[in-house]
């Protein structure tokens, strides 16, 4: 089908307007019109569609200007004009960016762009600036960590989930305020240093999805983690400890997508 999506592996979706969605896939960026049900991409429109430095699109976010979007790929950060399809590329070694394998993007209320990279840690770019500033995570081994997931904090700042280094909170002044790590034999600690998903429920509890350690719910006031893990002896436990996505519906039910399917938690109890 000449109007179909460029690849079935979808990493990211941005609702740009009531009818337009941008999708990042394993093989290209796609623009989807929900009214006409048509996809536009480099295959349907090879002459005009925005050209990326790499076809693997992990993340998409809004930009400071309403007619632009940010697109993060395995090799390169791109700012794209959605009307003219003009592309500005930001690659490794330019403007302070030490890595261009972009894993997550988030534009906050102040129009600051947060950028998570695989080999260079976390960066931010303020509006009207062209410089990417690396966040000091206050680690003895330096800041070039695998930054995996950015999640906004309601009072400003962001949470950062990493591979191998656990969970960080960075405040609105770009200062690292909290760092939580896995602690062996401590049932109230983070169960894994590999954080791939972060979500917050209506009660302001954070839900952390890990790669191999199951799920943790976490309340910042108590600084205590409650653990949900797969248990072969317990049919009501979650199906798998490799978590991909967490979602809360309007009734407060938490849904967990993992490598074995979808589970639900109602009032914090596994179903």
């Amino acid at each position: 089908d000449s109007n179909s999506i460029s690849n079935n592996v979808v990493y990211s979706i941005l609702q740009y307007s009531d009818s337009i969605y941008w999708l990042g896939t394993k093989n290209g960026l796609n623009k989807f019109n929900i009214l006409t049900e048509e996809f536009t991409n480099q295959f349907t429109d090879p002459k005009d569609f925005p050209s990326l430095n790499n076809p693997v699109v992990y993340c998409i976010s809004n930009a400071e200007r309403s007619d632009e979007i940010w697109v993060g790929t395995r090799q390169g950060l791109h700012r794209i004009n959605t009307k003219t399809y003009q592309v500005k590329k930001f690659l490794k070694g330019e403007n302070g960016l030490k890595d261009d394998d972009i894993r997550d993007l988030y534009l906050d209320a102040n129009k600051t762009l947060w950028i998570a990279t695989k080999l260079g840690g976390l960066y931010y770019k303020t509006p009207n600036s062209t410089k990417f500033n690396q966040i000091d995570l206050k680690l003895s081994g330096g800041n070039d960590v695998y930054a995996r997931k950015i999640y906004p904090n309601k009072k400003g700042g962001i949470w950062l989930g990493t591979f191998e280094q656990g969970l960080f909170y960075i405040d609105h002044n770009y200062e690292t305020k909290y760092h939580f790590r896995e602690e062996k034999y401590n049932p109230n600690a983070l169960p894994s240093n590999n954080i791939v998903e972060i979500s917050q429920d209506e009660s302001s509890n954070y839900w952390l999805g890990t790669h191999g350690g199951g799920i943790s719910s976490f309340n910042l006031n108590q600084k205590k983690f409650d653990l949900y893990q797969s248990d072969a002896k317990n049919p009501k436990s979650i199906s798998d400890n490799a978590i991909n996505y967490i979602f809360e519906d309007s009734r407060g039910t938490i849904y967990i997508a993992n490598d074995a399917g979808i589970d639900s938690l109602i009032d914090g109890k596994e179903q």
Side-chain angles (χ1 to χ4, degrees):
D1 182 355
S2 63
N3 285 322
S4 68
I5 193 166
S6 64
N7 192 276
N8 288 331
V9 178
V10 179
Y11 292 120
S12 55
I13 301 172
L14 173 72
Q15 182 174 359
Y16 181 69
S17 67
D18 288 344
S19 58
I20 299 297
Y21 289 75
W22 289 88
L23 296 90
T25 76
K26 198 174 183 179
N27 190 24
L29 180 68
N30 293 257
K31 182 182 180 183
F32 179 58
N33 186 318
I34 208 165
L35 302 178
T36 63
E37 296 187 3
E38 283 186 347
F39 286 92
T40 317
N41 52 51
Q42 79 244 34
F43 303 107
T44 65
D45 187 7
K47 194 160 63 74
D48 295 325
F49 200 74
S51 171
L52 303 178
N53 203 51
N54 185 285
V56 181
V57 179
Y58 287 124
C59 44
I60 310 170
S61 85
N62 289 309
E64 298 94 299
R65 287 177 41 167
S66 60
D67 61 350
E68 292 181 335
I69 57 172
W70 287 99
V71 174
T73 71
R74 184 177 277 170
Q75 195 175 9
L77 177 63
H78 307 70
R79 190 173 60 213
I80 297 173
N81 188 300
T82 55
K83 291 177 180 158
T84 65
Y85 284 172
Q86 273 189 306
V87 181
K88 168 72 175 160
K89 296 176 185 175
F90 299 88
L91 304 178
K92 183 167 64 176
E94 299 173 2
N95 303 73
L97 209 57
K98 290 167 76 174
D99 183 35
D100 56 12
D101 189 341
I102 313 295
R103 293 307 170 108
D104 204 8
L105 293 167
Y106 172 65
L107 187 77
D108 70 18
N110 299 318
K111 305 285 190 190
T112 293
L113 181 71
W114 298 81
I115 306 110
T117 71
K118 185 178 181 183
L119 299 172
L122 178 69
Y123 296 82
Y124 70 92
K125 187 190 86 65
T126 54
N128 306 319
S129 167
T130 55
K131 187 172 187 302
F132 298 95
N133 305 282
Q134 189 183 43
I135 292 287
D136 182 3
L137 297 172
K138 300 181 179 173
L139 295 171
S140 57
N143 298 309
D144 296 350
V145 303
Y146 184 165
R148 181 69 171 74
K149 179 70 182 178
I150 300 168
Y151 191 82
N153 182 51
K154 284 176 182 168
K155 293 178 180 172
I158 59 119
W159 291 93
L160 175 70
T162 69
F163 253 60
E164 299 185 352
Q165 296 294 340
L167 179 71
F168 296 83
Y169 171 65
I170 294 99
D171 70 11
H172 63 283
N173 292 318
Y174 315 113
E175 289 284 327
T176 301
K177 288 294 182 194
Y178 298 112
H179 179 204
F180 299 99
R181 291 180 61 87
E182 176 184 355
E183 293 175 38
K184 290 267 188 285
Y185 314 115
N186 180 355
N188 295 325
L190 197 61
S192 165
N193 283 329
N194 299 331
I195 313 284
V196 295
E197 173 67 342
I198 306 171
S199 184
Q200 190 175 27
D201 66 20
E202 283 295 311
S203 308
S204 293
N205 295 308
Y206 288 95
W207 293 83
L208 308 171
T210 71
H211 189 78
I215 280 203
S216 252
S217 73
F218 163 62
N219 186 297
L220 187 57
N221 295 328
Q222 298 169 336
K223 296 189 177 55
K224 177 172 158 286
F225 296 84
D226 290 321
L227 186 57
Y228 301 83
Q229 285 182 318
S230 180
D231 179 358
K233 297 178 192 148
N234 179 2
K236 288 198 164 183
S237 70
I238 62 173
S239 318
D240 195 277
N241 286 331
I243 310 300
N244 300 312
Y245 190 72
I246 302 170
F247 173 76
E248 181 186 30
D249 70 11
S250 56
R251 288 175 293 201
T253 302
I254 306 284
Y255 291 91
I256 299 134
N258 55 42
D259 280 5
I262 296 178
D263 298 311
S264 62
L265 297 173
I266 298 172
D267 295 329
K269 293 186 177 63
E270 292 146 294
Q271 298 298 305

